[in-house]
Amino acid sequence: MNEQTQPATVRVFIALAPPDHAKEELARELRPAYDTHPHVRWNRIEDWHITLAFLGELPTEIVPLLLRPLAVLAAGRRPPCLALRGSGYFDDRVLWSGIDGDLDELHTLAADVRAVVRSCGVTFEDRPLRPHLTLARARRGDRSSAAEIAEGFAEFTGCRWSAERLHLVGSNAGRSRGPIHYRDVEAWTLGSGNRTAS
């Protein structure tokens, strides 16, 4: 791609991601809802993540400044043990699954990630951490689908797993009318000691 066609900004967040087997376990639980609510905009399973810090639109030249500090942070942290549990919805439209497990450790990791980002001179809206996976969005005006689906897996409790990697993620949100796609800018193994980016 020609350098001149690169966007001047990139939408960025820092996240953890469940392993494939945990995502597949929840996807099996959701399968009936995929059939009964096809009009809901389901997120791709490979994009499911737990946002620790949402940085918004950053100038592309700022993003490399985050890499080394986040690598150092990740190397010194052990992976939190988590599980997917329960369900809910925001604003009548946004369906989510909750997070269980080492929540104190998760909150501490998020606070440290945000401190590292601020130390790099990046300002962002410091929203309270509400650990969850966003699964789907109902269409505007549809005030019942998210609640109906959430009720169907409210008792779900998934297997426990270690969040092995810290992800710096870029997205194309707002750049097209198509689906949102996420891509790792970089990811680091948590607790990797002296190893940095992998």
Side-chain angles (χ1 to χ4, degrees):
M1 185 184 263
N2 187 311
E3 282 290 323
Q4 294 171 334
T5 64
Q6 293 285 351
T9 63
V10 61
R11 193 175 180 90
V12 176
F13 59 88
I14 299 162
L16 302 176
D20 288 346
H21 67 88
K23 291 189 286 191
E24 288 160 6
E25 185 180 31
L26 178 55
R28 282 194 298 273
E29 187 80 10
L30 291 172
R31 197 159 290 137
Y34 293 154
D35 294 332
T36 58
H37 294 79
H39 53 284
V40 167
R41 194 174 80 205
W42 292 95
N43 289 2
R44 300 185 317 159
I45 293 170
E46 57 266 37
D47 289 338
W48 287 355
H49 61 270
I50 305 162
T51 301
L52 302 180
F54 179 75
L55 309 186
E57 292 283 339
L58 295 182
T60 52
E61 66 270 17
I62 295 294
V63 175
L65 302 180
L66 299 171
L67 301 183
R68 179 68 185 156
L70 287 171
V72 170
L73 172 65
R77 301 303 293 268
R78 71 182 185 87
C81 190
L82 304 172
L84 303 179
R85 182 175 183 181
S87 62
Y89 52 95
F90 301 129
D91 303 325
D92 292 328
R93 293 181 52 226
V94 181
L95 176 72
W96 52 263
S97 175
I99 308 297
D100 199 7
D102 295 336
L103 297 183
D104 287 344
E105 195 169 330
L106 182 63
H107 279 270
T108 300
L109 177 60
D112 291 348
V113 161
R114 294 171 186 210
V116 163
V117 170
R118 281 191 294 271
S119 76
C120 294
V122 176
T123 59
F124 59 98
E125 186 182 348
D126 200 357
R127 304 170 184 168
L129 179 67
R130 298 169 73 179
H132 67 278
L133 293 186
T134 299
L135 304 174
R137 285 175 176 78
R139 293 179 177 169
R140 293 192 188 283
D142 177 352
R143 306 184 74 82
S144 62
S145 290
E148 290 166 5
I149 299 166
E151 186 177 355
F153 73 105
E155 302 303 315
F156 174 77
T157 299
C159 62
R160 289 177 70 85
W161 42 270
S162 290
E164 300 286 350
R165 293 165 70 77
L166 183 68
H167 300 262
L168 178 64
V169 184
S171 86
N172 67 339
R175 301 201 194 288
S176 71
R177 292 191 167 275
I180 297 172
H181 291 290
Y182 302 107
R183 62 173 180 80
D184 275 357
V185 175
E186 189 59 87
W188 304 273
T189 301
L190 288 162
S192 60
N194 293 325
R195 286 166 44 200
T196 56
S198 55

